[in-house]
Amino acid sequence: MSKLVVEKAPETAALDKGVEKTILSDAALTFVGDLVERFTPRIEQALLARVERQKKFDAGELPDFLPETKAVRKGDWKVSPVPDDLLDRRVEITGPVDRKMIINALNSDANVFMADFEDANAPTWDNLISGQQNLFDAIRGTITHESNGKKYALNKGHSTLFVRPRGLHLPERHLTLNGKAVPGSLVDFGLYFFHNVRALRTANDKRKATGPYFYLPKLESHLEARIWNDVFSFAETAMDVPRGIIKATVLIETLPAAFEMHEILYELREHSAGLNCGRWDYIFSFIKKMRADATRVMPDRSQVTMDKGFLNAYSQLLIQTCHKRGVHAMGGMAAQIPIKNDPAANDAALAKVREDKQREVNNGHDGTWVAHPGLVAIAKEIFDAKLNGKNQLDVLRDDVKVTQKDLLEVPQGTRTENGLRQNIRVGVQYLEAWLRGQGCVPLYNLMEDAATAEISRAQAWQWQAYGASIQTKDGDKVVTKELVLKLIDEEVSLLERDMPENQYALSEKSLMQARALFERLATASQFEDFLTLPAYELLA
């Protein structure tokens, strides 16, 4: 039995000690400790395997379908059937694990709410533990919140709940085993599952009985999926619940994973709830994995859309793969948010959402993601008009023929100074908010999270690393380290100028840290795998 040690929380923590005691009970810490002791060595091996694989990519090897798993891709097998409450997932909403967001998202008309401990959550100790308590209360129907004189509470018959734990690469330093920080993924999964698996399976006055459902982020291989499948099986046995009640949707948001979709489903076939197009992280992963290839420099982020290049290819392949295996193929995120006081801009933003969702449903996706409750009705209307039943599992897409070349095709487009400046503004502002504990940030009429910040700094790095030519009002310019630093200085000066005095007082330190980190990552000689790792060292 391996009880974890709770390290001293930050001095700034405002966490209710009763909440901390409930979530971090002796039994819960022992359960998570057993997960950590058993699976940390395998996670560490998987992370080392990522490093070795990247060395091959850096040396010129290209990602490809694995010859050793051809029999799995060609085999005639299906994943286990999903429960009734997962048959219809036509609209899913995602967001962080704060109390108000959970209530509003569950009360929306979305079929599913994904509560996010990963990209939409800055992993402060307060956020993590209070997030677990918020979900604990939501599952039992007791969650409430008061803000600005308004009281929030759950409606009856709310959305089905999924939870996304952190990726395998992210540590949790406030819990240790034998003096060593533990995998954040096992903490997030373990605490949630331990406290809630039985409550989820018991109906209450707010909802029907359901199950422990998860989204799994940033997997890079089927061997990593195998780790998660074994985690699930171990947890089910340890808690004496039936095998296979855990269901998980894997986000295909890394380039290597796109070549192993069949294999990932096969490894999780007892626990699978399908795959999802994690489009923003996928763009970032493409840049990261192909970082040594000067022929794969991307155009402006705004031009890298799902109907082009490798994004179109991988989304079509995902639909074909999932439906062949009898499980859902989920579409990507609509990051737009309603624009108040500007009807024309709002209409233009909503038109983009409609176009994106129409393409997804026409291609055969079974559902899609939105980031704001105001977009649920739009997405649902589009999917309602197309779906004859609860999903499109019968749309097999036998016409799809995706090759290695298709999955590596860079979308065509231009590179501009405005695109580089936009990356700087988004990257620095998001990091500043993240360092203050806010993981989901509305910027320029989009809901940004860590994935879009990763794209922002990755594109800046790629353009200066290869001296890309960008269009400016004064003609074409080559992107150099000096130019990137100059534009960062100009954009941060504008942010400081336009920031209200009271906000600047709150943000001065975190803005300075965010600027320094963005500068370092965007101009480094070697590409940093994840910005959240060095940023975590700065997080209170």
Side-chain angles (χ1 to χ4, degrees):
M1 307 294 280
S2 306
K3 181 180 173 182
L4 301 181
V5 174
V6 182
E7 300 297 330
K8 189 175 185 297
E11 294 295 337
T12 56
L15 194 65
D16 182 282
K17 294 304 176 185
V19 168
E20 194 169 22
K21 185 176 180 180
T22 298
I23 298 302
L24 301 175
S25 65
D26 287 347
L29 289 176
T30 298
F31 175 77
V32 177
D34 288 344
L35 290 174
V36 168
E37 188 172 55
R38 179 175 292 261
F39 293 103
T40 296
R42 290 178 60 183
I43 291 173
E44 291 174 344
Q45 290 173 2
L47 297 179
L48 288 174
R50 290 183 183 182
V51 174
E52 294 306 310
R53 200 175 199 182
Q54 184 62 52
K55 289 178 182 177
K56 294 179 180 179
F57 295 155
D58 290 345
E61 182 177 308
L62 294 176
D64 202 351
F65 300 99
L66 302 177
E68 63 267 28
T69 56
K70 183 177 180 180
V72 173
R73 293 193 297 277
K74 299 299 183 183
D76 184 18
W77 53 268
K78 303 280 188 183
V79 303
S80 298
V82 298
D84 288 347
D85 61 342
L86 295 186
L87 290 174
D88 191 339
R89 298 170 60 186
R90 65 189 66 196
V91 180
E92 301 189 347
I93 188 169
T94 75
V97 289
D98 71 78
R99 208 161 179 86
K100 182 180 174 182
M101 177 68 203
I102 289 172
I103 296 170
N104 284 342
L106 288 174
N107 284 344
S108 74
D109 199 29
N111 302 78
V112 165
F113 166 51
M114 187 199 77
D116 191 10
F117 282 100
E118 206 225 10
D119 276 353
N121 182 62
T124 66
W125 189 237
D126 286 6
N127 286 350
L128 293 167
I129 302 304
S130 63
Q132 291 283 352
Q133 182 68 50
N134 294 341
L135 294 172
F136 183 101
D137 294 343
I139 288 163
R140 289 154 180 81
T142 61
I143 188 171
T144 60
H145 177 71
E146 291 190 35
S147 176
N148 299 321
K150 185 176 181 180
K151 186 171 182 178
Y152 300 81
L154 281 187
N155 297 333
K156 187 173 182 178
H158 55 70
S159 306
T160 299
L161 179 63
F162 275 64
V163 170
R164 177 162 68 170
R166 281 170 283 180
L168 296 177
H169 62 289
L170 294 170
E172 177 46 62
R173 64 174 179 245
H174 296 109
L175 290 173
T176 61
L177 186 65
N178 300 322
K180 185 177 179 181
V182 303
S185 53
L186 297 181
V187 174
D188 299 341
F189 164 78
L191 290 176
Y192 176 76
F193 184 78
F194 176 84
H195 286 296
N196 300 303
V197 60
R198 290 188 175 84
L200 285 163
R201 288 165 53 78
T202 304
N204 60 40
D205 63 345
K206 296 294 184 181
R207 58 157 178 79
K208 298 178 181 179
T210 183
Y213 305 145
F214 297 91
Y215 262 96
L216 300 181
K218 296 181 176 56
L219 297 188
E220 294 196 8
S221 77
H222 69 285
L223 298 179
E224 295 177 10
R226 184 180 298 171
I227 294 173
W228 270 115
N229 192 71
D230 291 346
V231 168
F232 295 159
S233 296
F234 177 84
E236 288 165 342
T237 299
M239 293 296 291
D240 193 25
V241 295
R243 283 286 293 270
I245 64 165
I246 295 173
K247 297 297 179 185
T249 300
V250 173
L251 291 132
I252 301 299
E253 54 185 358
T254 70
L255 180 58
F259 291 90
E260 299 184 38
M261 288 192 273
H262 286 282
E263 295 90 329
I264 288 170
L265 288 176
Y266 184 80
E267 294 294 342
L268 285 160
R269 60 194 181 278
E270 185 180 20
H271 295 109
S272 179
L275 304 176
N276 170 283
C277 289
R279 59 176 67 174
W280 306 126
D281 263 307
Y282 193 81
I283 297 169
F284 161 62
S285 178
F286 189 97
I287 297 172
K288 175 167 63 174
K289 296 303 175 183
M290 297 290 96
R291 63 197 184 196
D293 190 340
T295 68
R296 302 187 194 277
V297 178
M298 304 283 269
D300 282 5
R301 169 191 161 190
S302 63
Q303 298 177 41
V304 185
T305 52
M306 292 299 292
D307 59 338
K308 296 178 181 176
F310 62 78
L311 288 172
N312 178 57
Y314 111 98
S315 64
Q316 305 260 4
L317 180 61
L318 185 144
I319 296 166
Q320 182 191 58
T321 301
C322 287
H323 290 181
K324 181 176 181 179
R325 305 309 177 186
V327 75
H328 291 60
M330 303 303 297
M333 170 67 78
Q336 290 82 2
I337 55 179
I339 303 170
K340 299 177 180 178
N341 305 319
D342 191 339
N346 188 62
D347 289 346
L350 297 185
K352 289 183 179 179
V353 174
R354 289 190 177 93
E355 181 182 7
D356 182 52
K357 301 310 157 193
Q358 193 67 59
R359 176 192 53 77
E360 288 183 328
V361 76
N362 288 343
N363 282 347
H365 278 293
D366 302 289
T368 190
W369 273 18
V370 298
H372 191 281
L375 300 182
V376 171
I378 294 171
K380 183 158 281 194
E381 177 187 358
I382 291 169
F383 272 78
D384 285 349
K386 177 74 172 180
L387 269 60
N388 294 320
K390 295 182 176 181
N391 50 60
Q392 298 195 91
L393 295 179
D394 60 327
V395 179
L396 297 180
R397 293 306 311 271
D398 291 331
D399 59 304
V400 172
K401 309 294 181 185
V402 172
T403 66
Q404 177 199 36
K405 181 181 178 181
D406 296 327
L407 290 174
L408 296 174
E409 181 185 349
V410 177
Q412 296 298 305
T414 57
R415 289 177 286 274
T416 68
E417 180 180 332
N418 285 337
L420 181 54
R421 287 182 180 274
Q422 180 76 357
N423 281 334
I424 292 168
R425 286 193 296 270
V426 168
V428 171
Q429 286 182 89
Y430 179 83
L431 275 171
E432 185 280 320
W434 194 91
L435 292 170
R436 287 189 290 106
Q438 186 179 352
C440 197
V441 185
L443 294 171
Y444 310 109
N445 304 318
L446 295 175
M447 192 63 75
E448 306 283 17
D449 64 10
T452 45
E454 290 282 28
I455 298 172
S456 297
R457 64 94 178 184
Q459 277 205 313
W461 179 89
Q462 189 186 48
W463 290 5
Q464 66 87 31
Y466 290 106
S469 178
I470 58 172
Q471 299 173 1
T472 78
K473 64 181 187 305
D474 300 318
D476 290 353
K477 286 185 180 179
V478 172
V479 180
T480 62
K481 177 178 179 178
E482 291 71 26
L483 178 62
V484 171
L485 293 174
K486 175 177 178 290
L487 296 185
I488 291 173
D489 185 62
E490 292 176 3
E491 291 300 325
V492 172
S493 294
L494 291 173
L495 292 175
E496 292 175 333
R497 183 199 69 186
D498 296 338
M499 194 176 291
E501 187 174 338
N502 60 339
Q503 184 181 345
Y504 183 74
L506 177 68
S507 304
E508 183 178 7
K509 177 183 177 182
S510 52
L511 181 60
M512 179 177 64
Q513 291 175 319
R515 172 187 176 152
L517 181 56
F518 190 91
E519 284 184 351
R520 176 164 71 84
L521 296 178
T523 62
S525 58
Q526 299 295 322
F527 189 88
E528 184 85 34
D529 277 347
F530 293 99
L531 68 76
T532 44
L533 289 174
Y536 187 53
E537 298 303 314
L538 301 172
L539 198 64

